[in-house]
Amino acid sequence: MKVVIVGGVAGGATAAARIRRLDETAQIVLLERSGFISYANCGLPYYIGGTIQDADALTLQTPESFWNRFQIEARVSHEVLAINRGSKHITVQELCTGKTYTESYDKLILSPGAKPIRPQLTGIHNEKVYTLRTVEDTFRIQKAAATSGCKTAVIVGGGFIGVEMAENLQGLGIDVTLVEKQTQILGQFDNDMASFLHAHMKDKGIRLLLGKSVAGFSTTDQKLIVNIENTEPIQTDIVVLAIGVVPDSKLAKDAELALGQKESIAVNDQMQTSDPDIYAVGDAVEVTHQVTGAKTIVSLAGPANKQGRIAADVICGLDSRYAGTAASSVLKVFDMTAASTGINERTARAANIHYEKVILSPASHASYYPGGEVMTMKVLFEKESQRILGAQIIGGDGVDKRIDVLATAIQANMQVSALGELDLAYAPPYSSAKDPVNMAGFIAENVIFGKIKQFYYEDIESLPHDGSIILLDTRTDGEYKRGHAEGFETHIPLDSLRKRMHELDQTKPIYAMCQSGLRSYIACRILTQNGYDCYNFAGGYRFYKSVHLENQSSTQAFPCGMEKIE
C-alpha cells in the first residue's frame, strides 16, 4: 500500500507516523511545500518574542529524522499542484528547481491547513505587511522586529495570533497597537469576559482600537501608514496581519471533492472525503461541533492531531471515528490565562438554544495558602436537561486545569449539577476542598432547583429606578466606600443583615450584590426564608466593574481578574 500525504505539521505528520506504527510495510510519502515538515506552529510567536531562543526547537521532525525513525520519505519544498482522481496520481512541483513530476497513490491524505486572509486593500502587498503561518514567516518577522529601526508595530486582528504577537512584540520593547474590527478581541469569549483581557492588555501598554476597520496601507518617509476608517491614520514600522484564516482547499476544489462551509473540505467521521480513497485532516476540513451538532471549522492543533490519527487508523483497517470538537482552547495573555470550551452566549442565541449561566470568582487555591489568584468563570447550561453548553475562564494559575475538566464534562455529556459531585484532587497549594469546578456545579444546582434567582449586568439598565425595588450592596463598609454599582444606594453588610432586615421593605423585590456573588447569595437565602423576593447579581461587583468600565470606554486601570488573595 502506498500512502501519499499532502502537508505536514500537526495533521499530516501525525498521520504519517501513525500509519508506520500500524503498518511496517506501507510506502509513505509526505510532501510539504514549506521547508519544514513538522514544526511547533503554536510556538512561532514566542520565537519572535525571544521566549523560545533556539530556532531548531521549533522543528519537531526533519526529513532525515523522519526517515531514520519511521522510514517515511518526506520531501520539503514540494508543492502538489493537482490531483487526478481517475488515475490516482498527483502532480508535484519541486519549488527549488521548478521541475514537475507525477506521483501515484493508493490512499491520499490532504493536510493543507489554512491560509491567512489577505483582503484586497490598497498597499496590502507592502513588504512591511506580514502574515504568520510558516517557520519562514516567523524568521522574516523576527528579523524585521530585531532591527534597530523597528520601534512600532500595528497588529491587525485580535484572534489567537494577533494577541500573542502583540504580547511578544511588546516584550521586545516595541510600541504595539492592536486594531480589531469587532468590539472585542478573541471572539470565542463573550464581551463581558473579554473586558478583563482588554483592561489587562491596556495595563501592559498595548493600545487597543476595537470596532475599527483597516482601510489600507501607504508609505511615507520610510514609514508605513495604516489607514483606519473613521480614525486618524497610524504611522508604524511593521504590520502583522492576523485577521483570520480560511481553509486552503484549492486542491480539493479543483479535484471536485465535496466542499463544506467556507469552502472547507467535507469529510465523514472517519475523515474520508467524497472520494473514499482520499482523506482530509486539520484546519482545512469541516467538522461537527459537539455542543450544537452544527458543521464548523476549527483551526486548532489538538483536533488536527486527532484527525490525522483517525485517518491513519481507517487506512490501516481500524474502525476509528472522530467525535467532533468542543473547540477547547487556552491562551496566554501576558500574565493572564484565557480559556474556553463549548459555545458562548452569542452562539447559543444564534443556535436558538435556551440557556442559563452562572458566573463566579473563585480562588485558584486555598485562600489561606500564599499566592492565590482570583479567576472569573462563566458556565452555560440548559436548565431543563442540565446539559453543559460551554465555559469561559480568565485568570492566572489553575485556569487551564479547570477548563480541561469542563471540556471533559461536555464530551462525557455530564449534567451541570454533577460537577459538584466530582472528586477532584485537593491540597492547599493547588485547589480548595470545594474546587472552582465543584462550586460552578453547586451554583448551577441552586439555580436549577430554585434556591436562588439571578440577575445579570445586562439586566441592570432595565431595572426600574422609581423606588419600586431595592438595590442592595452587602459588602463591608470599606468595600462600599471604595466604589459601588450605580444605583446600589442601600448598603447593609451581610453580617449585619439579620438585625437590620427590618430596614428593608418586604413588599419590594431586592436585587443584591457583593464583591464576588457569594455574600449576596447568602443574603438572598436569608431574605428569601424571611419572606423577601431576592435576586442575586451573578459575578459580583468585580465583574460589574470590569464590564461597566469597558462599556464606558474608560482607560482607567482596575482589578481585572489577577487579584492576589490576602
Side-chain angles (χ1 to χ4, degrees):
M1 177 176 65
K2 181 179 180 181
V3 182
V4 176
I5 302 170
V6 181
V9 198
T14 296
R18 177 66 172 171
I19 291 170
R20 174 58 72 226
R21 291 195 297 271
L22 295 175
D23 187 345
E24 186 64 18
T25 65
Q27 181 185 357
I28 307 169
V29 178
L30 189 153
L31 303 166
E32 168 59 47
R33 66 183 153 201
S34 77
F36 302 84
I37 60 166
S38 180
Y39 53 89
N41 204 314
C42 299
L44 300 182
Y46 299 100
Y47 176 76
I48 294 170
T51 301
I52 300 171
Q53 297 186 353
D54 183 3
D56 291 338
L58 296 173
T59 305
L60 305 178
Q61 291 283 357
T62 66
E64 293 75 21
S65 67
F66 231 34
W67 177 258
N68 291 337
R69 177 163 295 182
F70 298 109
Q71 299 288 285
I72 293 170
E73 184 180 353
R75 306 172 195 164
V76 297
S77 301
H78 280 61
E79 183 172 10
V80 178
L81 303 178
I83 303 169
N84 187 321
R85 293 165 54 194
S87 64
K88 299 183 77 169
H89 281 76
I90 57 173
T91 302
V92 186
Q93 182 178 50
E94 294 180 356
L95 297 180
C96 296
T97 66
K99 174 186 173 183
T100 62
Y101 64 94
T102 61
E103 188 82 33
S104 65
Y105 67 86
D106 296 313
K107 302 291 182 181
L108 181 67
I109 300 177
L110 303 180
S111 179
K115 56 186 178 182
I117 297 172
R118 293 184 71 100
Q120 296 300 312
L121 297 175
T122 303
I124 191 74
H125 298 295
N126 188 291
E127 63 180 7
K128 294 182 179 179
V129 178
Y130 299 90
T131 57
L132 179 59
R133 182 188 186 187
T134 66
V135 174
E136 290 89 343
D137 295 335
T138 305
F139 293 156
R140 285 191 286 269
I141 298 173
Q142 193 271 343
K143 182 179 179 180
T147 61
S148 59
C150 186
K151 304 296 184 184
T152 59
V154 171
I155 311 296
V156 184
F160 290 114
I161 294 296
V163 171
E164 289 173 342
M165 283 303 305
E167 174 183 349
N168 281 281
L169 291 177
Q170 193 268 355
L172 295 174
I174 296 173
D175 184 23
V176 176
T177 298
L178 189 152
V179 184
E180 167 56 51
K181 183 177 182 180
Q182 305 303 319
T183 57
Q184 67 168 86
I185 61 171
L186 299 173
Q188 66 269 36
F189 293 92
D190 288 312
N191 188 265
D192 50 12
M193 296 292 287
S195 68
F196 290 92
L197 299 172
H198 297 165
H200 190 59
M201 291 186 73
K202 292 175 185 177
D203 189 52
K204 292 295 184 179
I206 303 297
R207 181 189 180 199
L208 293 180
L209 293 180
L210 303 176
K212 303 292 183 181
S213 296
V214 171
F217 308 94
S218 56
T219 55
T220 179
D221 298 328
Q222 297 185 336
K223 291 286 187 179
L224 186 62
I225 305 301
V226 183
N227 299 303
I228 303 173
E229 294 178 1
N230 303 317
T231 302
E232 288 295 316
I234 302 174
Q235 182 173 280
T236 188
D237 295 310
I238 63 171
V239 167
V240 178
L241 198 64
I243 60 176
V245 296
V246 293
D248 193 352
S249 58
K250 184 178 186 301
L251 266 179
K253 183 178 181 180
D254 290 348
E256 298 184 346
L257 295 174
L259 300 180
Q261 60 171 306
K262 297 182 180 179
E263 297 200 330
S264 58
I265 306 172
V267 293
N268 61 19
D269 61 358
Q270 294 193 310
M271 311 315 299
Q272 285 177 308
T273 68
S274 54
D275 184 322
D277 290 324
I278 301 178
Y279 298 73
V281 301
D283 296 352
V285 306
E286 180 184 67
V287 296
T288 301
H289 199 288
Q290 290 176 351
V291 175
T292 65
K295 295 297 183 180
T296 187
I297 304 168
V298 175
S299 299
L300 294 169
N305 273 278
K306 295 179 184 68
Q307 293 159 14
R309 181 184 176 93
I310 289 167
D313 284 355
V314 175
I315 287 172
C316 294
L318 301 179
D319 186 22
S320 292
R321 297 180 183 274
Y322 187 58
T325 179
S328 303
S329 66
V330 64
L331 181 72
K332 178 181 179 293
V333 184
F334 291 92
D335 36 311
M336 294 187 80
T337 301
S340 69
T341 187
I343 62 174
N344 58 22
E345 290 194 66
R346 292 190 304 276
T347 304
R349 288 193 295 267
N352 226 8
I353 298 174
H354 178 67
Y355 66 93
E356 296 280 354
K357 60 183 174 181
V358 295
I359 303 167
L360 58 157
S361 301
S364 58
H365 60 243
S367 59
Y368 59 83
Y369 189 90
E373 297 170 344
V374 175
M375 64 181 74
T376 305
M377 295 178 63
K378 176 193 278 191
V379 179
L380 274 60
F381 59 95
E382 284 183 321
K383 189 171 182 179
E384 291 187 5
S385 70
Q386 294 198 41
R387 180 169 68 113
I388 304 169
L389 302 173
Q392 302 161 51
I393 314 177
I394 292 175
D397 183 52
V399 166
D400 54 342
K401 70 176 183 178
R402 273 66 187 224
I403 206 68
D404 283 344
V405 173
L406 290 162
T408 303
I410 289 175
Q411 187 156 344
N413 294 315
M414 286 180 59
Q415 292 189 322
V416 68
S417 61
L419 296 177
E421 301 171 7
L422 289 176
D423 188 7
L424 302 174
Y426 159 63
Y430 303 104
S431 184
S432 300
K434 291 184 286 190
D435 188 86
V437 174
N438 296 139
M439 290 302 301
F442 295 149
I443 298 171
E445 183 179 37
N446 285 334
V447 171
I448 290 166
F449 294 106
K451 298 300 182 184
I452 193 66
K453 293 186 289 187
Q454 298 188 109
F455 71 108
Y456 308 100
Y457 180 86
E458 58 267 27
D459 298 325
I460 291 179
E461 186 176 349
S462 61
L463 293 176
H465 294 275
D466 56 2
S468 59
I469 64 171
I470 298 171
L471 300 179
L472 173 66
D473 192 309
T474 64
R475 296 176 298 154
T476 64
D477 292 338
E479 289 174 311
Y480 187 77
K481 288 177 182 177
R482 288 193 292 270
H484 56 273
E486 293 180 6
F488 282 73
E489 304 299 333
T490 302
H491 171 230
I492 302 178
L494 173 62
D495 293 342
S496 303
L497 182 60
R498 287 184 177 88
K499 62 184 177 184
R500 294 180 56 185
M501 200 183 309
H502 63 276
E503 299 176 20
L504 302 174
D505 187 341
Q506 200 170 32
T507 66
K508 297 179 180 180
I510 297 174
Y511 291 79
M513 182 183 291
C514 70
Q515 188 68 15
S516 69
L518 176 59
R519 282 173 288 174
S520 51
Y521 158 68
I522 296 172
C524 277
R525 291 303 302 149
I526 293 170
L527 292 168
T528 298
Q529 294 178 81
N530 281 276
Y532 291 83
D533 184 18
C534 189
Y535 297 79
N536 185 37
F537 181 73
Y541 177 69
R542 65 179 297 279
F543 188 82
Y544 167 90
K545 187 176 182 180
S546 179
V547 181
H548 192 65
L549 289 179
E550 171 82 6
N551 289 348
Q552 296 297 315
S553 301
S554 173
T555 57
Q556 175 183 348
F558 56 91
C560 53
M562 291 292 289
E563 299 96 324
K564 296 295 181 182
I565 305 298
E566 300 297 338

